[in-house]
Each structure stands twice: as C-alpha cells, then as structure tokens.
C-alpha cells in the first residue's frame, strides 16, 4: 500500500530509543543458511522489507524459514531445490547477490541474475566474479544471469581491485567450503563482514582476520548449524543520532556498539553536537545550530557512505559552508535536489557537494529516491518550519524498522498516511 510520512517540524527530540539489528549483517547471515543442511537460528533479525525479500529468495532456493516463539528466526536448507536467484527478486534488492557464493559452495552451481544498477549507481559485481573464478569456478554471463559452476572450489589468494563489502562476504562464504586455504587481501573491514565471520565460525568455519583487510579462510568439508545474534545497526543508530542533533534535542541511543560508530560520532562532534558514550549507550545533545564540517566518505573505519545523505541534511542547517565528497558511489546525491526544495542551498558537481547552511528548512512535499535519501528527507522534515510530506516511503521501509514509531517515541510529530 503506497504511503507517505507527514511531519510537523520544530520539535526538539528527547528521550531514549533502542537500535535494531543491522540490515547489512542480517542479510548475509540469512544467506549463510545455504551453506549447511542444518538449522541456523538468528536471534534478532529486524522486520524490514529487505528481510522479506531475502526470505522469499531463500525459500525459493529451498529454505524453510520460521519465526520462533521467542522472536528468533530459524532457517534451514535441507537441500537446495533450485540454484537460481531470479531477476525479479535480485533486481529489487541487490543484496540478493550474496546467495551466489554460498550456492556455488553448497551445490557446485549457481544461476544468479545480474543485479543491474540502482538509484545510487551501476553497482557491478565484477570483483565477486573474478574472486570466484580464482577459487576455480567457471563463470559465464548468459541473458543477464551469472552462470557459475565448480565441482569443488579450491582455496586461492585473492586481491580485489577495490574494497567491496558483499564481494568480501561472497568470497568468504565460498572459501569456507573450498579445499585448502584462501587469503582475501584488500578485504572490506566493515563490522557486518566481521559479524558474518563470527556466524560462519560458529558453524564450524576456520576464519582469521575478519574485520581487517586480510582474511584467511581454511576450507572445511562441511558446516553445521549455529545460533547467532546480529550486531546493532550502526547506520540506523547514526540516523537517529542525527535526528537528535538536527532538532537541537537530547537523544540517547541504547543497544548500540559505539566502536562501530566512531567516524559518525567524530563528525557529529565536529558539528558541535555533544556526544557521551557509556557502554552500549550513546547520548547526543544537539546545538541550537550545527557548525559546518567537511565530509569524505570511505570504507570502514572511515565515514560511511550510508550516512552521507543524513549528514547532508544536518549540514544543510549549519552556520557556514560544508563540503561532502562521495567516493564510493557515483550517483548518491539525489537527496540534494529534494533538500533544496525545502530551502537548502546545495550545489553538486560529480562526487562533490557544497552546502551553504540555512537557518531553517521550510516544510514541503518531497519524494524519496533511495533508502538513505528518504532518511535524510525525514531528518530535514523534523527540523523544518511547517509540514513536510515524504512520499515513496517504501524506500525507507527497506532499511528502517518502524522509524516513525521510534521518532514518535522521541516526541516527533510524524504520521504514516496511506495514499
Ligand atoms: C554494501 O553494498 C551495503 N549493502 C551498502 O549499503 C553500502 O552502501 C556499501 O556496501 C558500501 O559500504 C549491503 O551490505 C547489503 P560495495 P555493496 O560492493 O556490497 C563498486 C544501504 O544503504 N564495486 O562495497 O553492494 C561499487 O559499484 C546499502 O544499506 C565494483 O565496482 O557495496 C561501489 O561503487 C546501500 N565492483 C563500490 O565498489 C564490484 O564487484 C563499493 O561497493 C563490487 C563493488
């Protein structure tokens, strides 16, 4: 059902809110169920549209997925009924590509639709395919699908040309069942990669170095079941902190892992936000008006590209000139035009955006274009004078579990209206 969010801006958010489990850790963890005939149980899979899509995809491949009484999700793939990830599912969610490595490792064959582009960029998977070929797979591209075959994958030394999160995850899962040792150089260091390695290790995999740029995987003949708790979502957490900061509020996040948020916390402090960290809680006191700051996105532990749109919303209110350099994706400024409709003064040129802060946003009807862009529009709406209506909210529902309910619990005047 199409819906929009209607926001009455101007409320300083106050209170406590709990972070959900990380979308980008839950999705590869679910795909890991393909690697074994035994069950894996994930304690805290978030209720997200992308999780529904991944559930449909895995069930199509032969998985049995149930929600346990305690809210945990049990996944078991006694046998892979078809090794094909169809276009209609992969094209709605690029993360579907993380079934490629496990399918190939488990069955020796995989037919996965090329994900194609998305709003923020072309999003090729050449690094995934080059790595799988190094592991001994025969890779062909036929009619928009990747056809991969391998009687038995063999360990290899793989250096990716660039840092790729799902590429690292695909190769790590494929290598877990390969014969011999695989070394991934230039691996992604994102916490979600380390979380996946933690699950794979609990399933019997032998992995060293996950979370660093060099991961060593000693293949085993078989993997078993495991129970796993997914890490908190550092991007949702960052988004909620910006909600506190942009409204000059006082918001405490609970159930987060602060060390996964370092770059975001440092940038918020640079903007004059007062941050207090205590255990798994982070408190944010927003200034009356943020200070300007320059942002350059880069792979973890650098400033996350998934927080760039949210930061742009905050800097749009800053007292001065800020510059954002987006180094990861080639088209991730689409929120800028919508923020300008709310009175922001932003100019973009290729990977650069220059933001001249304004005192206040004006409420306006705006349109979401992708997951994090929709979050940035909600954030601007919270701080705007008047009413903001964010349409195409399905983008938001892909990656945020009940965002408007969490914001309402902090005092925000935000309602979901079915259109
Ligand atoms: C993951 O996407 C995340 N998604 C993205 O989050 C995140 O923005 C991105 O990593 C970067 O941190 C999931 O984990 C499900 P990449 P991924 O491979 O793995 C290029 C969100 O908002 N590249 O690290 O697809 C690619 O085009 C989403 O939650 C190649 O050229 O990103 C991009 O420019 C959005 N060839 C850059 O590398 C390849 O084979 C980084 O991509 C692979 C990637």
């Amino acid at each position: 059902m199409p819906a929009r969010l209607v926001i009455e801006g101007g409320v300083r958010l106050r209170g406590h809110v709990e972070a959900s489990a990380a979308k980008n850790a839950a999705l590869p963890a679910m795909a890991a169920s393909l690697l074994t005939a035994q069950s894996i149980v994930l304690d805290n899979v978030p209720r997200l549209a992308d999780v529904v899509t991944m559930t449909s995809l895995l069930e199509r491949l032969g998985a049995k997925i149930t929600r346990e009484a305690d809210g945990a999700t049990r996944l078991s793939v006694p046998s892979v009924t078809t090794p094909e990830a169809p276009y209609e599912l992969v094209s709605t969610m690029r993360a579907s590509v993380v079934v490629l490595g496990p399918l190939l490792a488990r069955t020796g064959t995989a037919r996965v639709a090329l994900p194609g582009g998305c709003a923020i960029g072309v999003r090729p998977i050449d690094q995934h395919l080059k790595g799988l070929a190094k592991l001994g797979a025969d890779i062909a591209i036929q009619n928009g699908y990747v056809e991969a075959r391998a009687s038995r994958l063999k360990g290899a030394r793989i250096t990716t040309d660039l840092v790729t999160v799902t590429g690292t995850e695909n190769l790590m899962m494929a290598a877990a069942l390969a014969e011999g040792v695989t070394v991934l150089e230039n691996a992604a260091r994102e916490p979600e990669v380390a979380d996946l390695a933690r699950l794979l290790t609990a399933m019997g995999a032998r992995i060293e170095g996950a979370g660093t740029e060099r991961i060593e995987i000693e293949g085993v003949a078989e993997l078993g079941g495991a129970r796993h708790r997914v890490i908190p979502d550092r991007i949702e957490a960052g988004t909620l902190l910006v909600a506190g900061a942009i409204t000059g509020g006082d918001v405490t996040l609970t159930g987060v892992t602060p060390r996964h948020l370092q770059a975001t916390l440092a940038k918020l402090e640079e903007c004059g936000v007062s941050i207090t960290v205590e255990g798994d809680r982070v408190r944010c006191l927003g200034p009356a008006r943020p200070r300007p700051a320059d942002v350059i996105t880069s792979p973890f532990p650098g400033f996350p590209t998934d927080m760039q749109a949210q930061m742009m919303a905050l800097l749009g209110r800053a007292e001065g000139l800020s510059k954002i350099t987006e180094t990861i994706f080639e088209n991730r400024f689409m929120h800028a035009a919508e923020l300008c409709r709310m009175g922001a003064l932003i100019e973009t040129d290729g990977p650069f955006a220059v933001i001249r802060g304004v005192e206040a946003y004006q409420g306006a009807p705006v349109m979401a274009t992708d997951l994090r862009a929709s979050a940035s529009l909600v954030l601007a709406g919270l701080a705007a004078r008047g009413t903001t209506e964010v349409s195409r909210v399905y983008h938001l529902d892909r990656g945020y579990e009940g965002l408007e309910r969490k914001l309402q619990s902090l005092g925000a005047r935000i309602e979901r209206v079915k259109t």
Side-chain angles (χ1 to χ4, degrees):
M1 165 76 79
R4 64 185 193 282
L5 291 176
V6 180
I7 306 161
E8 291 302 328
V11 175
R12 293 168 179 268
L13 300 191
R14 289 187 189 298
H16 292 65
V17 67
E18 171 101 12
S20 298
K23 166 177 85 81
N24 291 349
L27 296 174
M30 291 172 73
S33 62
L34 292 163
L35 289 166
T36 174
Q38 294 177 31
S39 295
I40 69 169
V41 177
L42 301 175
D43 281 321
N44 54 338
V45 174
R47 292 178 185 280
L48 300 171
D50 275 8
V51 168
V52 173
T53 305
M54 181 59 85
T55 299
S56 310
L57 172 57
L58 290 172
E59 285 175 340
R60 194 185 185 114
L61 299 173
K64 301 195 178 359
I65 301 175
T66 53
R67 272 259 181 193
E68 309 276 281
D70 60 1
T73 302
R74 175 180 293 272
L75 303 96
S76 79
V77 187
S79 69
V80 172
T81 48
T82 164
E84 173 166 318
Y87 179 66
E88 70 266 15
L89 281 174
V90 176
S91 58
T92 58
M93 184 184 69
R94 277 188 37 73
S96 312
V97 75
V98 291
V99 303
L100 176 56
L103 269 180
L104 190 58
R106 172 83 182 273
T107 67
T109 178
R111 188 167 188 273
V112 174
L114 279 169
C118 72
I120 61 178
V122 173
R123 314 283 301 269
I125 59 167
D126 56 305
Q127 300 297 315
H128 302 232
L129 303 182
K130 280 167 74 173
L132 292 172
K134 291 277 280 188
L135 292 172
D138 293 322
I139 305 279
I141 307 283
Q142 302 273 349
N143 310 100
Y145 278 75
V146 176
E147 312 253 355
R149 297 216 182 313
S151 46
R152 179 84 200 273
L153 293 171
K154 287 182 182 45
R157 177 180 291 279
I158 301 168
T159 303
T160 49
D161 300 332
L162 47 79
V163 173
T164 161
V165 174
T166 50
T168 302
E169 290 164 351
N170 249 333
L171 296 175
M172 193 163 66
M173 288 193 275
L177 288 176
E179 198 172 336
V181 174
T182 295
V183 177
L184 300 182
E185 302 277 5
N186 203 19
R189 294 181 274 172
E190 271 67 7
E192 294 76 25
V193 172
D195 198 44
L196 175 62
R198 208 160 48 83
L199 167 58
L200 294 173
T201 303
M203 293 166 67
R206 295 198 192 119
I207 301 175
E208 297 293 331
T212 74
E213 73 282 5
R214 184 181 188 282
I215 303 176
E216 189 162 316
I217 304 111
E218 184 185 347
V220 294
E222 202 169 75
L223 290 173
R227 183 160 194 135
H228 177 73
R229 184 166 185 77
V230 176
I231 53 170
D233 194 319
R234 61 193 170 97
I235 304 301
E236 184 214 22
T239 305
L240 290 165
L241 288 172
V242 173
I246 201 169
T247 57
D250 176 356
V251 169
T252 298
L253 269 194
T254 56
V256 297
T257 305
R259 73 174 182 285
H260 294 166
L261 279 160
Q262 276 317 323
T264 298
L265 299 181
K267 197 51 70 177
L268 287 172
E269 287 183 320
E270 201 182 322
C271 293
V273 180
S274 151
I275 297 285
T276 314
V277 175
E278 261 176 45
D280 71 349
R281 301 158 77 89
V282 176
R283 183 180 179 190
C284 147
L285 279 173
R289 194 155 171 214
R291 287 202 300 268
D294 292 343
V295 175
I296 302 176
T297 62
S298 63
F300 193 87
F303 189 88
T305 175
D306 292 349
M307 280 298 302
Q308 179 259 105
Q310 298 89 312
M311 208 65 207
M312 185 182 284
L314 180 65
L315 295 171
R317 275 207 60 217
E319 208 157 11
L321 209 61
S322 304
K323 180 176 173 185
I324 294 181
T325 308
E326 173 53 68
T327 70
I328 308 291
F329 290 108
E330 66 269 27
N331 187 33
R332 201 170 198 177
F333 284 147
M334 284 180 297
H335 40 285
E338 293 302 298
L339 290 171
C340 288
R341 298 190 58 250
M342 298 177 70
L345 299 174
I346 304 169
E347 290 183 30
T348 65
D349 178 7
F352 306 113
V354 174
I355 302 111
R356 192 182 311 277
V358 295
E359 206 272 322
Y361 287 107
Q362 302 139 34
V366 289
M367 189 179 290
T369 51
D370 59 86
L371 169 55
R372 306 304 174 183
S374 46
S376 83
L377 299 176
V378 171
L379 294 170
L382 293 172
R385 289 198 186 115
T387 307
T388 299
E389 297 204 359
V390 182
S391 60
R392 300 192 176 179
V393 180
Y394 58 86
H395 288 294
L396 200 74
D397 296 338
R398 294 192 49 180
Y400 289 95
E401 186 178 36
L403 183 64
E404 73 270 18
R405 283 197 309 277
K406 294 195 177 187
L407 293 171
Q408 283 162 359
S409 74
L410 296 172
R413 289 181 303 223
I414 178 169
E415 294 299 330
R416 180 181 289 254
V417 174
K418 299 226 180 308
T419 41

